[in-house]
């Protein structure tokens, strides 16, 4: 078997589990698993992949919606298939009896200074005294919420 | 006892409501929405609905992410 170059698949998984600290110092705080959150934003917000931390600016507002969003159930460890590492929350994120219009969900790390993870957009949706449920994709190497290929 | 439903014009009995399902397909997201309409004859409720921007008095939404984000590694 010949040698071959590439980022190790185990490293991709371990980026998500906090095993590696590249650079000159360890910047991570805490040693436990992080609490993740999902927040929703108005269509007038400007949340993009350039966003670095959670902000309440232009976040949706409603009874039964708390600023900062809802906790994300993180019951499934990151894994890999082939050369792709992947991870998906283990449950949908839901709000009941809320009223707002949104087109953006922002996933962030509530434990590590509200640091940004990913932004998800969709066409503008109005919820009226109703349930808003963000349903997660299949947790595999082709569809997972976060994939490092 | 008849089921009661919370709407923007108050709690109403299920018998005075109807709903319709709508589906929006996007490249990476499927959105299902359930829009509720009033079918009763209470003039107070009808007056409130008449001044609303939308016809529905309750709307539930389920966006399903079909495929999340991928970060491609390069050597």
């Amino acid at each position: 078997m010949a040698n071959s170059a590439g980022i190790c698949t185990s490293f991709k998984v371990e980026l998500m589990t906090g095993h590696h600290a590249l650079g000159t110092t360890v910047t991570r705080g805490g040693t436990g698993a992080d609490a993740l959150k999902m927040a929703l934003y108005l269509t007038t917000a400007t949340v993009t992949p350039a966003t670095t931390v959670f902000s309440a600016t232009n976040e949706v507002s409603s009874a039964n919606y708390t600023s900062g969003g809802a906790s994300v159930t993180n019951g499934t460890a990151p894994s890999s298939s082939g050369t792709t590492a992947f991870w998906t929350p283990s449950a949908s994120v839901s709000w009941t009896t809320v009223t707002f219009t949104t087109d953006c969900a922002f996933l962030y790390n509530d434990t590590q200074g509200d640091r940004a993870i990913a932004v998800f957009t969709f066409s503008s949706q109005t919820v009226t005294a109703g349930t808003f449920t963000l349903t997660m994709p299949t947790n595999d190497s082709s569809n997972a919420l976060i994939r490092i290929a | 006892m008849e089921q009661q439903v919370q709407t923007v014009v108050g709690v109403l009995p299920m018998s005075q409501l109807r709903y319709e399902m709508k589906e929006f397909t996007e490249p990476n997201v499927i959105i299902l929405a359930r829009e509720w309409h009033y079918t009763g004859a209470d003039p107070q409720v009808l007056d409130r609905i008449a001044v609303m921007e939308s016809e529905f008095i309750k709307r539930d939404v389920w966006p399903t992410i079909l495929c999340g984000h991928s970060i491609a590694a390069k050597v």
Side-chain angles (χ1 to χ4, degrees):
Chain A
M1 180 178 168
N3 298 319
S4 64
I7 295 287
C8 297
T9 303
S10 61
F11 175 75
K12 298 173 186 174
V13 173
E14 289 163 2
L15 285 176
M16 291 191 275
T17 52
H19 279 74
H20 300 272
L22 310 187
T24 58
T25 186
V26 176
T27 56
R28 179 185 168 80
T31 56
D34 292 338
L36 309 180
K37 279 191 163 184
M38 188 82 81
L40 301 174
Y41 285 86
L42 302 173
T43 57
T44 52
T46 51
V47 182
T48 72
T51 300
T52 57
V53 295
F54 163 77
S55 166
T57 302
N58 287 321
E59 187 181 13
V60 301
S61 175
S62 168
N64 302 314
Y65 179 94
T66 303
S67 179
S71 296
V72 173
T73 307
N74 184 12
T76 305
S79 57
S80 66
S81 176
T83 59
T84 300
F86 57 89
W87 172 85
T88 300
S90 51
S92 300
V93 185
S94 188
W95 292 264
T96 56
T97 320
V98 289
T99 298
F100 52 65
T101 297
T102 181
D103 69 350
C104 175
F106 176 64
L107 176 66
Y108 68 96
N109 190 327
D110 188 40
T111 303
Q112 302 295 328
D114 291 346
R115 284 180 164 79
I117 297 176
V119 185
F120 304 91
T121 58
F122 38 85
S123 60
S124 174
Q125 294 296 316
T126 296
V127 192
T128 305
T131 297
F132 183 91
T133 301
L134 191 60
T135 307
M136 298 299 158
T138 304
N139 188 36
D140 62 25
S141 60
S142 301
N143 303 287
L145 198 69
I146 303 293
R147 285 168 286 128
I148 302 176
Chain B
M1 185 177 173
E2 184 176 8
Q3 182 183 352
Q4 302 293 302
V5 179
Q6 178 79 49
T7 75
V8 284
V9 292
V11 178
L12 297 171
M14 189 70 187
S15 61
Q16 295 179 15
L17 301 170
R18 68 172 174 81
Y19 62 76
E20 57 184 327
M21 297 298 296
K22 293 186 175 178
E23 180 175 327
F24 309 88
T25 303
E26 301 177 9
N28 239 10
V29 182
I30 288 181
I31 295 173
L32 288 175
R34 181 169 60 185
E35 296 180 355
W36 299 67
H37 300 269
Y38 182 63
T39 58
D42 185 330
Q44 287 187 323
V45 175
L46 291 172
D47 284 347
R48 290 192 63 186
I49 295 172
V51 297
M52 291 170 53
E53 288 184 3
S54 58
E55 291 182 357
F56 52 79
I57 56 173
K58 178 182 179 70
R59 189 172 194 259
D60 308 296
V61 179
W62 292 269
T64 298
I65 298 171
L66 299 177
C67 182
H69 295 306
S70 178
I71 303 163
K74 293 181 180 178
V75 177

